[in-house]
Amino acid sequence: LVKDVYVIRKPVNIHSRARVQRKNEAKRKGRHMGHGKRKGTADARLPSKVIWMRRQRVLRRLLKKYRESKKIDKHLYHVLYLKCKGGTFKNKRTLVEFIHKAKAEKAREKSLTDQAEARRLKARAARDRRAARVDEKRGVESEKVTTKDDDETPQVAEKKPKKKADKK
């Protein structure tokens, strides 16, 4: 029947996606996305849970990378992990800044303790030297006392008060 042209075969309708593609291209640039075009709530369009999960994954990935590259030790890692979980850091930049501050503070504390220890050692050495000098003087004075036998009562030299070591 088709050959005899009693039945005419109509061509298949073309369903072009050109207009859709053009509109999607514009949407990628931000067109047609204003308040008037929105139907769902902001949370329905991009759930806050999804945003939270993305942020946590980014921060935890960074912490893991820093721990493996030995930029932070496991103790600082644990503290920062819990801070991330608590929502302390809103993005990666704030976390990195916090890590730099924490490391600087730790280095500062270490240098201060090293300085204090050095000061203590220096003071102890000075005390020991002074004590040795005083003992030496006393040894000389006691010899003088023992050699002086012409008087019945030995005369003891007066003791000088100890001076405290200067602390600088």
Side-chain angles (χ1 to χ4, degrees):
L1 295 173
V2 176
K3 285 180 184 174
D4 297 341
V5 196
Y6 288 117
V7 176
I8 299 168
R9 179 180 228 158
K10 292 178 80 177
V12 178
N13 279 351
I14 296 171
H15 188 184
S16 173
R17 288 199 45 87
R19 284 184 298 279
V20 176
Q21 287 168 354
R22 199 165 61 231
K23 185 152 186 175
N24 285 343
E25 188 71 35
K27 277 189 171 184
R28 259 180 247 132
K29 293 179 181 175
R31 320 292 191 259
H32 319 292
M33 298 291 277
H35 292 293
K37 290 288 184 181
R38 299 179 195 173
K39 292 283 186 177
T41 62
D43 205 44
R45 290 165 66 86
L46 182 58
S48 55
K49 184 177 181 180
V50 170
I51 295 170
W52 173 260
M53 284 170 12
R54 284 180 187 168
R55 186 194 312 164
Q56 289 304 305
R57 286 172 183 166
V58 165
L59 297 177
R60 287 174 181 178
R61 206 176 305 127
L62 180 82
L63 284 177
K64 193 174 170 190
K65 189 176 84 174
Y66 271 31
R67 183 184 59 186
E68 286 170 358
S69 64
K70 301 281 193 272
K71 287 187 180 179
I72 57 174
D73 61 340
K74 65 180 182 180
H75 304 293
L76 184 58
Y77 168 85
H78 186 66
V79 170
L80 293 174
Y81 188 95
L82 294 178
K83 280 187 183 294
C84 288
K85 185 180 178 186
T88 306
F89 309 112
K90 66 178 182 177
N91 55 34
K92 205 158 110 173
R93 192 188 73 232
T94 55
L95 174 59
V96 171
E97 285 173 4
F98 189 91
I99 290 171
H100 288 315
K101 282 181 188 170
K103 285 173 72 175
E105 182 66 26
K106 191 174 178 185
R108 199 172 133 287
E109 289 289 325
K110 189 176 185 311
S111 70
L112 286 175
T113 54
D114 290 348
Q115 287 174 2
E117 183 63 30
R119 222 179 356 254
R120 277 196 291 275
L121 290 173
K122 188 177 174 185
R124 185 178 294 135
R127 265 199 314 275
D128 293 345
R129 283 197 305 272
R130 177 167 276 120
R133 272 203 315 269
V134 169
D135 288 345
E136 189 179 311
K137 279 186 181 178
R138 283 192 183 142
V140 170
E141 289 171 0
S142 64
E143 286 175 14
K144 284 181 183 176
V145 170
T146 54
T147 55
K148 212 177 202 183
D149 286 339
D150 57 7
D151 200 10
E152 291 175 5
T153 56
Q155 295 177 355
V156 179
E158 292 181 21
K159 292 180 183 176
K160 292 182 180 177
K162 282 188 178 180
K163 290 182 183 177
K164 291 185 180 177
D166 292 338
K167 291 186 179 179
K168 288 184 180 179

